[in-house]
Amino acid sequence: MKKILFSLIASTLTATSLIAAPQAIVFDFGGVLTGETNREAVVTFIRQSFHFSAEEFEKVNQEKRVAVKQGKTDEEFWITYAKNKGIKLAANWSASFRSVIKDAIGINPEMYALVDQLKKQQIQVALLSNIDEHLSKLIRDFGLYEPFDPCLLSCEIGVEKPDLKAYELLLKMLNLPAKDVVFIDDRPENVEAAKTIELDAILFESEPQLRNELTTRGALE
């Protein structure tokens, strides 16, 4: 009986050892680390701050878009607009505006907890995201890119998923073979493209689903 038990334990350990945990896990940002964005919360905050009607907001917001393209931030535009129009904003307006913007991004705290857990287990965690320069600056200012190394943004690398060049650059930055990397995205076309260069790609559905997928790959204990 002892010999049989020992044999079973040895077989289990051998099978477990064959599961090589990934060396790096790469996340998409929007739709994976975030839920639904809430633009209306920002619109409501601005309209209440300046007592805009819906039509007035849309008109001034067009001016803001032009200013942003010229290099101003949203916050800078609205503060300058208030000064030019003689509108007195609350002393804590900037802090409140940033808080509304951050909440509107829709960060999923459970996903960031998962990222922290992976890093504690000595697994490299990276980011590959399609995003424009304006939004990426806001996200970086909030420190939401800090856990990821490397952090590859389409507006900075000049290529977007599902272009294979994006994945090839990712592997070059990681200095790892594709088989050692897990890639996570909520868009099927991005996942399928990743698979064509032999990345282990997961179509994201939910945090529990992803945890299960990573556990089967030996990335989570």
Side-chain angles (χ1 to χ4, degrees), residues 138-215:
L138 289 174
I139 294 170
R140 180 167 275 118
D141 286 345
F142 292 135
L144 298 173
Y145 289 147
E146 289 181 5
F148 307 97
D149 183 25
C151 176
L152 302 182
L153 310 177
S154 61
C155 61
E156 295 177 352
I157 64 176
V159 62
E160 292 188 351
K161 299 171 293 184
D163 191 320
L164 296 185
K165 291 179 182 178
Y167 306 100
E168 290 165 355
L169 178 59
L170 170 68
L171 291 175
K172 182 178 180 181
M173 294 293 291
L174 290 170
N175 194 28
L176 289 170
K179 65 181 180 61
D180 290 336
V181 179
V182 173
F183 171 73
I184 303 154
D185 203 293
D186 65 317
R187 293 185 176 272
E189 63 271 25
N190 294 341
V191 169
E192 292 307 311
K195 288 179 179 179
T196 65
I197 62 168
E198 300 183 347
L199 281 162
D200 181 5
I202 299 172
L203 180 63
F204 178 82
E205 297 173 8
S206 67
E207 186 264 350
Q209 167 256 349
L210 179 59
R211 278 188 173 274
N212 183 61
E213 294 270 13
L214 294 177
T215 299

Side-chain angles (χ1 to χ4, degrees), residues 14-211:
T14 301
T16 302
S17 66
L18 292 175
I19 302 174
Q23 294 189 43
I25 296 178
V26 183
F27 289 83
D28 174 39
F29 188 79
V32 175
L33 296 169
T34 71
E36 291 293 325
T37 57
N38 186 10
R39 179 181 181 271
E40 284 307 310
V42 181
V43 173
T44 299
F45 178 81
I46 294 297
R47 286 186 58 189
Q48 290 176 346
S49 296
F50 292 89
H51 306 289
F52 285 145
S53 66
E55 293 76 15
E56 288 170 333
F57 169 78
E58 289 302 330
K59 181 180 178 181
V60 180
N61 200 47
Q62 289 297 325
E63 296 178 27
K64 185 213 72 175
R65 288 172 180 164
V66 172
V68 166
K69 286 181 179 179
Q70 294 172 345
K72 273 197 173 184
T73 66
D74 291 53
E75 183 180 341
E76 288 169 343
F77 172 83
W78 291 117
I79 289 174
T80 300
Y81 181 87
K83 288 180 179 178
N84 291 341
K85 297 294 183 180
I87 299 170
K88 187 173 178 60
L89 297 174
N92 67 340
W93 186 89
S94 287
S96 297
F97 179 65
R98 291 173 197 159
S99 178
V100 170
I101 291 285
K102 187 174 182 180
D103 289 345
I105 292 172
I107 291 301
N108 185 339
E110 292 181 341
M111 289 299 295
Y112 270 81
L114 173 59
V115 168
D116 288 341
Q117 183 179 348
L118 291 168
K119 293 182 72 173
K120 286 176 182 177
Q121 294 178 196
Q122 306 303 312
I123 295 177
Q124 185 175 1
V125 179
L127 189 79
L128 180 62
S129 174
N130 289 349
I131 193 165
D132 65 59
E133 185 178 3
H134 174 231
L135 184 54
S136 72
K137 285 181 179 178
L138 289 174
I139 294 170
R140 180 167 275 118
D141 286 345
F142 292 135
L144 298 173
Y145 289 147
E146 289 181 5
F148 307 97
D149 183 25
C151 176
L152 302 182
L153 310 177
S154 61
C155 61
E156 295 177 352
I157 64 176
V159 62
E160 292 188 351
K161 299 171 293 184
D163 191 320
L164 296 185
K165 291 179 182 178
Y167 306 100
E168 290 165 355
L169 178 59
L170 170 68
L171 291 175
K172 182 178 180 181
M173 294 293 291
L174 290 170
N175 194 28
L176 289 170
K179 65 181 180 61
D180 290 336
V181 179
V182 173
F183 171 73
I184 303 154
D185 203 293
D186 65 317
R187 293 185 176 272
E189 63 271 25
N190 294 341
V191 169
E192 292 307 311
K195 288 179 179 179
T196 65
I197 62 168
E198 300 183 347
L199 281 162
D200 181 5
I202 299 172
L203 180 63
F204 178 82
E205 297 173 8
S206 67
E207 186 264 350
Q209 167 256 349
L210 179 59
R211 278 188 173 274

